[in-house]
Amino acid sequence: MVGRKTFVTLALATLLVLVFASAATAARLGEQRGPDHINGGGGRDIIHADKYGNDRDIVNGGAGNDVIHVDDGDTKDKVNGGSGDYDTCYVDSVSEVVGTTCEDMRIKGGGKREKERAIRRFT
C-alpha cells in the first residue's frame, strides 16, 4: 500500500511542477474590443494590443525582456516596458511610451520629426 501512495504523490507533484513551470515562462497576451489593461509576467512576454484602434489600452510588460505592440492606428495607448533589460515597443507615437522603459522603440509610420523626438527623449 505504501508503494501506491508514494507513486500517486510523485505523480501529483510532477503535475504541479509542470503546471507552475509553464506559468513562469513567456506569455502571449492580446487585447479585446474596447479599452484594455494588460500586464505581462516575469518572463519574455509578447503582448499584442494592436488589433483594435480608437481605444485606450494600458500595457505593462513586467520584469522580462518583452515585445509589446500598441501600434493600432491611434495615439491613445500607454505602454510601460517594465524592468527588463531590453524591451521592444511598437507604437504609433513617442507619446504612448511611459518614461524610458522601452529600450527599442519602433514608431509606426513615424516620420523624421517623430524619430528625432524619440532620440532626444533617450539622450
Side-chain angles (χ1 to χ4, degrees):
M1 207 55 162
V2 173
R4 184 174 177 180
K5 286 183 181 179
T6 303
F7 175 75
V8 171
T9 303
L10 287 174
L12 182 59
T14 303
L15 180 62
L16 289 173
V17 166
L18 291 174
V19 167
F20 288 111
S22 65
T25 59
R28 288 184 168 274
L29 304 168
E31 71 175 323
Q32 305 291 319
R33 280 196 190 276
D36 297 295
H37 193 136
I38 302 172
N39 292 309
R44 181 178 186 269
D45 302 310
I46 300 173
I47 301 173
H48 282 275
D50 57 351
K51 188 174 182 180
Y52 304 107
N54 200 24
D55 61 352
R56 182 175 169 85
D57 299 316
I58 299 171
V59 180
N60 297 302
N65 296 334
D66 307 306
V67 178
I68 303 171
H69 298 263
V70 294
D71 52 336
D72 57 2
D74 65 51
T75 58
K76 300 176 182 180
D77 308 313
K78 292 295 177 192
V79 61
N80 180 335
S83 60
D85 294 327
Y86 197 81
D87 298 305
T88 301
C89 300
Y90 293 84
V91 298
D92 292 299
S93 170
V94 177
S95 65
E96 293 184 306
V97 178
V98 176
T100 58
T101 60
C102 294
E103 289 78 19
D104 182 11
M105 190 181 343
R106 309 284 175 97
I107 303 164
K108 181 178 182 178
K112 183 177 179 182
R113 173 178 262 167
E114 186 75 10
K115 290 178 182 170
E116 287 172 353
R117 279 182 61 205
I119 291 169
R120 280 197 307 270
R121 184 174 190 163
F122 288 103
T123 55

